[in-house]
Amino acid sequence: MITTENITKSYGNFKALKGISFKVPSNNITVLLGPNGAGKTTTLRILAGYLYPDYGKVEYFGQKYDENLEFKKLIGYIPENNPVYEDLEVTEYLEFVAKSYYLGKKEIKIAVERCALKEVLGKKIGNLSKGYKQRVSLAKAILHNPPILLLDEPTTGLDPNQAYQTRELIKELKKDKTILISTHILSEAEAICDNILIINKGEICASGEKESLIKQYSKNSYVLRFDGDIENKFIEMEGIKEITAKKENGETEFIIEFENDKDMRKDIINFAYEKKLPLIEFYKNKVTLDKIFSKITKERL
Amino acid sequence: MRAENIKTLVSKELKHYLNTPPSYVLASVFLLLCGYFFAQPLFLINQANLNSLTDIAPLILTFFAPALSMKLIAEEKKTQTIEILLTMPFSEEEIIISKFISASLIMITTIFLMFIYSITLYFLSKPDTGHILGSYLSLLFTAVCFLSIGVFSSTLSSSQINAFISGFAISFFFYLCGKVTFFLPLYLQEAANYIGIDSHISNMARGVIDFRDIIYFSSISFIFIYLSINKLKNMRVR
């Protein structure tokens, strides 16, 4: 469990973080979402102990973080842009990391197996593909089996297959770890996270479990598509809040939003049947993370 | 500060040096230049000593030491690997000291290779061993002192070129200080003479190991290492 309280960080006159407080639960993947320049990297750098906050405190499992080197052993961290020592071989790098944590070859072997690095062990990191470099960093981050993983945009620049593999590996790791990932790739966040923190302009705008956040921003809205040019007869239905109509390619689309939370699917189907409307497509309009993200971040502009 | 951590970091730094060709090129150029200044009096005026070398070597070191140390922190900043290093269980002191030690080890090895030059002197004449050992010792102290300046310069920027230029400028100041005393007012001469590296080298090169000279070299190294540690710490506060 990571707890932060009122963290403030400024770079000169620019306030990167304006007193943010949040909690990251254990055995969970929490995603820190935000547009570029929102303060994601600064937050992760403070949590990883690379930067010191101007004010505020960070607690790991109830203990206040200080400059004690033992605290650093709790954290596995991949910084933004995935920096690596390009002139070292994979083995040399992992041996260096293992020695730093007073560990041996056994731990290197486990990390190598988990990140599937066996075939590139003797190669220089600089000669590896982006995907392999990312895996090397992940191996470095998990080698000392830390209870906390902080990953700053871990799949940026990877091809879809590599990104999928990295996400699967991260999902596998959540069993016994507290994982905080920063990203601005919404599809990735949706695919991987249990909890969401949305940050914008140095402030936490929304936080909570993914499902509850989606529920919070969900509307009781339905999409109906009809063949031909259809007149809007749905205003006759009860409890309508808003109807949007769109005519395109010989079809008419209605997005109907209701005021109540009741499941209106049967009522809509019955209504369309009664009015003999040529319905060709019908579904409940689901709120996606990108819609929530866009709404929250635009609200704060 | 843990010795084990320093050992781990020094070993990593040495791998960086040994895995990259510029280190070898740099050491070869240094040895060639020193070899030339060693051989010149030997063949031209039949003098079997290291005077010519100890005169010019500090000037060569004002280039060589910053060139060897310019990448130590600047490169880590540029490639952002400094973020990896500072989030691992190492203190700033351990990081700076181990970088300084690793560069010093490369420097000492290079200077050690120059012993081959002086061995040839024994075949040609009977040189003063005290003078030869003193000369090498003065070179070692100067090199290590300039390296500490180089490490500090490397913390100032993420550009290796900037780190080299500032390292060279500071080292050259110490080199020049002792050379220009005659042009200074009388009340400044003594201070400039002490600050300049010249007088301390010449004592050692004569085979006189004075405790005050050792304190001088150690103080400069200590001050610049201390400044480097502080600079690295400040980087995290920003």
Side-chain angles (χ1 to χ4, degrees), chain A residues 42-198:
Chain A
T42 305
T43 307
L44 254 68
R45 281 178 171 172
I46 288 171
L47 294 181
Y50 174 62
L51 289 179
Y52 300 139
D54 299 338
Y55 301 103
K57 69 173 180 182
V58 179
E59 280 183 1
Y60 293 126
F61 307 106
Q63 278 191 296
K64 193 184 168 199
Y65 182 88
D66 57 24
E67 289 169 41
N68 188 338
L69 296 181
E70 290 302 310
F71 264 100
K72 292 184 177 176
K73 293 182 182 172
L74 296 175
I75 301 159
Y77 175 51
I78 301 184
E80 190 187 23
N81 302 328
N82 187 31
V84 278
Y85 289 106
E86 305 233 329
D87 52 348
L88 291 186
E89 287 176 7
V90 177
T91 321
E92 287 175 333
Y93 181 50
L94 294 179
E95 273 172 6
F96 159 66
V97 176
K99 277 182 192 167
S100 313
Y101 293 98
Y102 305 105
L103 300 170
K105 291 204 164 142
K106 189 184 148 199
E107 285 79 8
I108 297 177
K109 203 180 159 194
I110 294 170
V112 164
E113 273 172 18
R114 282 193 110 165
C115 300
L117 287 169
K118 214 171 179 179
E119 51 191 89
V120 293
L121 278 178
K123 288 187 180 170
K124 274 199 177 182
I125 300 175
N127 296 335
L128 299 180
S129 68
K130 262 189 179 177
Y132 267 118
K133 280 183 189 168
Q134 196 70 40
R135 283 197 225 172
V136 170
S137 287
L138 207 55
K140 175 251 163 201
I142 63 169
L143 198 139
H144 59 293
N145 196 20
I148 295 166
L149 273 184
L150 304 171
L151 314 173
D152 199 346
E153 303 191 355
T155 59
T156 303
L158 300 186
D159 70 39
N161 285 336
Q162 291 170 335
Y164 174 77
Q165 283 168 1
T166 309
R167 277 200 295 271
E168 289 305 301
L169 185 60
I170 294 167
K171 273 186 196 171
E172 205 184 301
L173 291 168
K174 84 165 183 182
K175 285 174 213 155
D176 55 349
K177 295 193 195 305
T178 305
I179 304 177
L180 179 63
I181 300 173
S182 113
T183 186
H184 58 257
I185 306 167
L186 295 157
S187 56
E188 174 175 292
E190 198 149 17
I192 206 171
C193 75
D194 303 304
N195 294 290
I196 298 169
L197 290 165
I198 298 180

Side-chain angles (χ1 to χ4, degrees), chain A residues 13 16-17 20 40 52 66 85 104 109 126-127 195 208 222 248 262:
Chain A
N13 291 329
L17 296 178
I20 59 166
K40 302 187 297 287
Y52 300 139
D66 57 24
Y85 289 106
K109 203 180 159 194
N127 296 335
N195 294 290
Y222 302 85
E248 208 174 58
K262 197 185 146 195

Side-chain angles (χ1 to χ4, degrees), chain B:
Chain B
M1 210 161 38
R2 288 185 181 180
E4 194 69 24
N5 284 355
I6 291 182
K7 202 177 132 193
T8 306
L9 284 165
V10 167
S11 139
K12 178 193 116 342
E13 289 306 322
L14 287 177
K15 275 176 191 152
H16 284 305
Y17 275 122
L18 300 175
N19 283 355
T20 48
S23 325
Y24 297 99
V25 174
L26 211 56
S28 308
V29 170
F30 178 73
L31 286 172
L32 273 172
L33 276 172
C34 289
Y36 172 76
F37 287 106
F38 161 79
Q40 202 188 25
L42 194 67
F43 294 112
L44 292 180
I45 48 174
N46 289 327
Q47 269 190 11
N49 60 39
L50 296 177
N51 287 347
S52 170
L53 183 64
T54 46
D55 277 349
I56 201 75
L59 183 62
I60 300 172
L61 282 172
T62 58
F63 285 94
F64 182 59
L68 194 68
S69 55
M70 64 184 181
K71 73 167 192 174
L72 288 172
I73 299 289
E75 179 75 0
E76 299 253 17
K77 277 183 175 178
K78 192 184 166 194
T79 56
Q80 292 179 304
T81 46
I82 192 75
E83 212 170 323
I84 295 178
L85 219 49
L86 287 170
T87 50
M88 286 172 85
F90 300 121
S91 65
E92 289 88 346
E93 288 84 352
E94 286 167 349
I95 292 169
I96 293 291
I97 288 171
S98 39
K99 283 187 180 281
F100 172 64
I101 290 174
S102 58
S104 301
L105 285 175
I106 297 289
M107 182 67 91
I108 289 166
T109 312
T110 313
I111 291 177
F112 187 77
L113 289 173
M114 283 165 59
F115 264 109
I116 299 162
Y117 302 160
S118 37
I119 289 169
T120 58
L121 292 181
Y122 285 92
F123 291 107
L124 301 166
S125 66
K126 286 179 185 170
D128 179 0
T129 307
H131 156 71
I132 287 178
L133 287 178
S135 298
Y136 277 112
L137 209 58
S138 73
L139 278 184
L140 275 179
F141 273 108
T142 311
V144 169
C145 177
F146 285 171
L147 274 180
S148 69
I149 293 170
V151 173
F152 170 68
S153 309
S154 189
T155 62
L156 298 177
S157 161
S158 56
S159 151
Q160 290 195 44
I161 300 293
N162 291 349
F164 172 76
I165 292 169
S166 48
F168 168 71
I170 303 171
S171 306
F172 194 68
F173 166 79
F174 283 101
Y175 171 77
L176 206 65
C177 243
K179 305 263 183 208
V180 295
T181 45
F182 295 116
F183 304 105
L184 295 171
L186 208 61
Y187 62 93
L188 279 179
Q189 278 187 7
E190 204 177 330
N193 202 37
Y194 185 77
I195 292 168
I197 219 151
D198 242 25
S199 58
H200 305 281
I201 291 177
S202 56
N203 281 344
M204 276 194 187
R206 285 202 309 269
V208 182
I209 311 296
D210 193 333
F211 196 59
R212 282 171 297 181
D213 296 328
I214 294 174
I215 287 184
Y216 166 83
F217 285 115
S218 313
S219 312
I220 291 184
S221 301
F222 178 81
I223 289 167
F224 280 100
I225 292 298
Y226 176 77
L227 289 174
S228 311
I229 292 167
N230 271 335
K231 187 79 185 99
L232 201 61
K233 282 186 175 172
N234 285 340
M235 203 182 87
R236 306 176 79 175
V237 180
R238 277 204 287 179

